[in-house]
Amino acid sequence: MITGWLPPDASSYGRDIDSVFRLILYVVGAWFILAEGLLVAFVYRYRRRAGVGARHITGETARQAAWILVPAAVVLMLDLAIDNAGAGAWREVKEEMPVSQLEVKVTAMQFAWVFTYPGPDGKFGTADDLTSAGKLHVPMGAVVRLDLSSLDVIHSFAVPNLRLRQDVVPGRTIPAWFKATRPGTYEIECTELCGEYHYRMRASLIVQTPAEYQAWAHKHWPAAKKSAQVDDRRLMAAAQ
Ligand SMILES: [Cu+2]
């Protein structure tokens, strides 16, 4: 049911993130209904009535303390169960980075996202690097590695359709990765309040088929078609 409320999933690990999301929603939702239901029931049952005085309960007996301790223990156990269930997704997204077919440097600044591609030579800091603000083109099916850094304050790189979010911290370069599974244009946003024009810090992720991506790359890097063609085969293979 909740799946319909979320933006369409366009990444290889989106399903795993969604299952953790659903688990948390159902566990927390059930407790919410139980706790609020009990609150309403008790408010009604122990409402003010003529001739019935209030009682002062100190919570010192074991029976009284159990009202606090037992739910606290159950909540803690559920919390640990959620941690355990989500550990695989965490490992997949944040710890085990697969070999990438494309590397892009992402620079956050007030108030824009700037993407730097290594160009056909695959190396950063050379003349064929391509820098673009606001648009990140990637081929579908390829593992894309992002190296995130910030020029000023803390930002957060978020692509809801990929179920990817990573804080971007000045002074550090933080890696992230994704493999897009559906072509389309998706919103990239900053999810860390980073200044007065934070809301303008949007960009687009453009997921293209490998052929479309290559056409785009060739258009922007006409000088080095040859090495880009080697990449074609690698990307095509990765997309299968
Ligand atoms: Cu920001």
Side-chain angles (χ1 to χ4, degrees), residues 108-109 111 113 153-156 190-194 198 201:
M109 64 185 75
F111 297 91
W113 295 106
V153 299
I154 300 177
H155 299 274
S156 184
C190 177
T191 49
E192 184 79 49
L193 184 56
C194 59
H198 159 69
M201 210 167 151

Side-chain angles (χ1 to χ4, degrees), residues 28 69 97 232:
V28 173
L69 298 176
M97 190 160 308
D232 281 0

